[in-house]
Amino acid sequence: MTKPAPTRLTIRRPDDWHLHLRDGAMLQGVLPHSAAHFGRAIIMPNLVPPVVTGAQAAAYRDRIMAALPEGSTFTPLMTLYLTEDTDPEDVARAHADGLVTAVKLYPAGATTNSASGVRDFDKVRPVLEKMAEIGCPLCVHGEVTDPEVDIFDREAVFIDKVLKPIRKKTPDLRVIMEHVTTQDAVDYVRDTHKNLAATITTHHLIINRNDILVGGIKPHFYCLPVAKRERHRIALVQAATSGDKRFFLGTDSAPHTDANKLQPCGCAGCFTAPNTMSCLAEVFDAAKKLGQLEAFTSLNGPRFYGLPVNEETITLTKGEPVAYPAQVDTGDGPVTVFDPGFPLHWRIEA
Ligand code: DOR
Ligand code: ZN
């Protein structure tokens, strides 16, 4: 006789290892949705202007703490935005003070607010050397920006042209390839045994490029890196549900107002913070891998970052479909919540 499928699951409180919270009214509107389920999150520094110095990270952290709902224990883990002018000593100080958990590398022009990112990777060598020395990890947006490289190939080309050389020159640097979208990235991470991990988003486990383009363009599915072919999505689901310690959740929940998404040139980003855990439970359940959900959301990330796992737990229960709001209202305007395209049966009791 086969065992009945579980309808209740208690796991350590998850963390989000890649999150955009923005600032001001948007921060106020979106933060409660992450804080409701997650213990900690790596906070992306691509504000306008970006969070470049330790002092700016401290001020941003204060604004996040001030926007937290009463009684929340959510902890923002701050990052610095790497530029060609970043001072290695400022990074070292901010890391030693416990203010900054990681540094973020955006190739210039790769995505939203990445204009101050890196053009010449040799210019940031001293910072990367310092980070390797002090054990500060590098979060990487892994896409090349050369106009001649097809957008669907940009991640795979980045691995060969940028990431492999960086890792060869600085093998002690701990690197997180963020929001991987390809079989190529999954294979690269799997073939490496030291100092490399990858985050996977919720939406890249659910959508492929057809979902964005077939039957009319779906701006709310447009994000960067853009979703790839179905075979890549399947590779991501296999990696996420495998229990492999090098893969963990980074939602890349990236809110933009509908006014900014629904444009002739709309912004990139999927806002998944409210329903991410329900979506993930559905994906893991469908793959018959619910037993690996905790590793992906709550164990593998802290292990790679050298942080303790959360002591609190959350419980997920399966039943009638859960309704999430289609939009979240913020002082900047409504933000559409990611629609996975299937009913969500798992409810989160945080
Ligand atoms: O889709 C994305 N949105 N990808 C990124 O890398 C940045 C993000 C944002 O900040 O909106
Ligand atoms: Zn991001």
Side-chain angles (χ1 to χ4, degrees), residues 18 20 22 44 46 104 106 110-113 141 143 179 203-204 222-225 252-256 261 267-270:
H18 181 131
H20 298 269
R22 317 295 191 207
M44 286 299 120
N46 62 333
K104 173 71 189 250
Y106 285 105
T111 186
T112 312
N113 304 333
H141 183 110
E143 288 190 288
H179 42 53
H203 49 283
H204 287 120
Y222 172 62
C223 68
L224 290 170
D252 199 8
S253 178
H256 293 279
K261 288 287 288 179
C267 293
C270 298

Side-chain angles (χ1 to χ4, degrees), residues 64-345:
I64 295 169
M65 296 307 287
L68 272 176
E70 202 53 40
S72 172
T73 56
F74 177 85
T75 305
L77 304 174
M78 307 310 291
T79 60
L80 292 180
Y81 185 118
L82 182 63
T83 75
E84 293 178 5
D85 299 320
T86 296
D87 173 8
E89 291 311 319
D90 184 51
V91 172
R93 258 191 316 273
H95 187 254
D97 290 349
L99 170 63
V100 153
T101 302
V103 171
K104 173 71 189 250
L105 166 65
Y106 285 105
T111 186
T112 312
N113 304 333
S114 62
S116 331
V118 178
R119 268 164 237 280
D120 178 352
F121 294 95
D122 283 334
K123 291 215 174 114
V124 295
R125 288 229 56 75
V127 186
L128 301 184
E129 298 288 349
K130 176 56 87 177
M131 288 168 59
E133 181 193 318
I134 63 177
C136 178
L138 180 72
C139 297
V140 175
H141 183 110
E143 288 190 288
V144 292
T145 54
D146 323 14
E148 64 271 21
V149 177
D150 188 276
I151 190 166
F152 293 102
D153 299 333
R154 288 179 173 199
E155 182 172 286
V157 173
F158 182 89
I159 293 171
D160 284 334
K161 293 274 164 60
V162 182
L163 194 52
K164 284 182 181 169
I166 287 181
R167 297 194 59 252
K168 198 161 173 210
K169 285 186 198 151
T170 321
D172 291 335
L173 181 66
R174 297 173 65 65
V175 174
I176 300 104
M177 254 203 103
E178 301 197 282
H179 42 53
V180 291
T181 58
T182 56
Q183 171 91 61
D184 313 61
V186 167
D187 290 346
Y188 177 56
V189 172
R190 276 208 185 112
D191 290 346
T192 312
H193 297 286
K194 229 181 127 206
N195 293 341
L196 182 66
T199 58
I200 301 177
T201 76
T202 304
H203 49 283
H204 287 120
L205 293 173
I206 294 173
I207 58 167
N208 62 26
R209 65 194 203 177
N210 278 15
D211 293 308
I212 310 173
L213 296 169
V214 172
I217 192 157
K218 316 296 186 319
H220 294 298
F221 286 162
Y222 172 62
C223 68
L224 290 170
V226 70
K228 309 294 192 296
R229 289 177 181 275
E230 177 64 1
R231 75 176 175 87
H232 295 291
R233 189 193 67 82
I234 290 169
L236 299 177
V237 172
Q238 278 167 353
T241 61
S242 67
D244 186 323
K245 295 180 173 53
R246 293 165 294 189
F247 297 99
F248 43 89
L249 175 65
T251 66
D252 199 8
S253 178
H256 293 279
T257 60
D258 285 355
N260 286 332
K261 288 287 288 179
L262 307 176
Q263 286 287 333
C265 182
C267 293
C270 298
F271 178 55
T272 55
N275 59 3
T276 269
M277 288 307 297
S278 289
C279 287
L280 289 173
E282 204 74 35
V283 169
F284 278 63
D285 196 359
K288 303 207 172 1
K289 290 289 175 70
L290 272 176
Q292 301 289 10
L293 182 63
E294 184 180 43
F296 183 65
T297 62
S298 318
L299 305 179
N300 297 349
R303 186 176 187 276
F304 188 79
Y305 273 91
L307 294 169
V309 294
N310 291 321
E311 286 305 326
E312 288 177 21
T313 58
I314 63 167
T315 295
L316 300 93
T317 53
K318 188 177 184 180
E320 289 304 308
V322 193
Y324 284 92
Q327 290 168 328
V328 162
D329 283 320
T330 75
D332 283 349
V335 175
T336 290
V337 177
F338 176 73
D339 174 3
F342 46 72
L344 298 171
H345 299 91

